[in-house]
Amino acid sequence: TIVQKTGYPWTGEVQLQVEGSCDVPITIGIRIPGWSDTVVTELNGRRIEAEPVKGFIYLEKVSPSDVITVNFDMEVKRWYANVRVSSDTGKTAVSRGPILYCMEEADNGTYLNRLSLERNEPIYYGYDADLLGGAGVLTAEGWELTVGGDEGALYRRVCSEKEKRRKKIKGIPYYSWANRGENEMQVWIREEATGS
């Protein structure tokens, strides 16, 4: 029997406790997800150096009462689409651990297409116990294009790219969207190298 204890997916540590009786040591395979750039594995508190084989690391000679601890990389990551995906060119998607994030109108206001992330600014993670029963959220500094001039005009002779203001942008787990009423959502967001 293997008992798992973890705060996953909000924390990257997973502890596996082997229980029962067995006269022969066993081999346990642990899948290493593609999103985790680094993995630290310990057996009874001692670090194990194991190279993944086809997406798994294998711990041999595991006995009952042994404790395996695996720590996955939980850094916030930006992802970029293949340049052939024209609608995502110049945009980024954001994840932390196994969770993809999105922006929702409930947190960021209307017209999400006007938002952009600042490439040179960090993205911060925090846990919000009050959000939909508890969820990790991301916040980052970015930009919002202002409407300016005649809001009703479909076309203008002034470039709206020059009319922007700093904006705190909030991301929620993709799985949790559409739980706070009808509102807009997007995963891919424009990215700017500077605020200029």
Side-chain angles (χ1 to χ4, degrees):
T1 301
I2 298 176
V3 178
Q4 177 177 283
K5 296 179 182 177
T6 184
Y8 189 83
W10 311 120
T11 64
E13 183 175 296
V14 179
Q15 189 180 85
L16 304 172
Q17 171 81 52
V18 180
E19 295 181 350
S21 59
C22 182
D23 296 332
V24 181
I26 59 174
T27 297
I28 294 181
I30 299 170
R31 190 180 76 82
I32 305 304
W35 52 259
S36 184
D37 293 338
T38 59
V39 179
V40 176
T41 308
E42 296 179 350
L43 179 62
N44 299 323
R46 184 174 52 88
R47 187 165 176 163
I48 301 293
E49 299 297 337
E51 287 296 317
V53 177
K54 295 184 178 179
F56 284 80
I57 56 170
Y58 293 94
L59 302 181
E60 300 177 344
K61 298 182 180 178
V62 178
S63 302
S65 79
D66 282 348
V67 177
I68 301 166
T69 305
V70 184
N71 276 287
F72 296 112
D73 166 25
M74 297 295 283
E75 292 294 316
V76 175
K77 294 181 174 67
R78 297 180 192 224
W79 298 88
Y80 301 90
N82 186 298
V83 293
R84 288 177 284 197
V85 184
S86 59
S87 60
D88 292 333
T89 301
K91 296 180 179 180
T92 187
V94 183
S95 70
R96 179 182 182 271
I99 298 190
L100 178 69
Y101 281 75
C102 68
M103 279 95 6
E104 202 170 22
E105 181 182 333
D107 301 306
N108 299 289
T110 56
Y111 305 112
L112 297 177
N113 62 300
R114 298 190 306 187
L115 300 180
S116 60
L117 278 179
E118 174 59 56
R119 182 178 300 164
N120 301 315
E121 296 277 348
I123 300 173
Y124 298 99
Y125 170 79
Y127 186 79
D128 185 345
D130 297 325
L131 178 66
L132 303 169
V137 297
L138 301 179
T139 55
E141 288 295 333
W143 301 94
E144 179 181 35
L145 294 176
T146 58
V147 177
D150 181 7
E151 274 191 50
L154 183 57
Y155 300 103
R156 303 165 56 203
R157 297 203 34 123
V158 178
C159 177
S160 60
E161 292 276 334
K162 302 295 182 185
E163 301 169 8
K164 58 189 173 186
R165 60 182 171 222
R166 288 293 260 175
K167 169 92 172 175
K168 182 84 72 180
I169 298 172
K170 181 177 180 180
I172 62 170
Y174 178 79
Y175 73 78
S176 65
W177 75 278
N179 281 288
R180 296 178 289 173
E182 257 185 60
N183 70 121
E184 186 182 7
M185 180 279 292
Q186 72 178 37
V187 171
W188 293 92
I189 183 172
R190 288 183 302 113
E191 186 181 59
E192 298 187 52
T194 67
S196 59

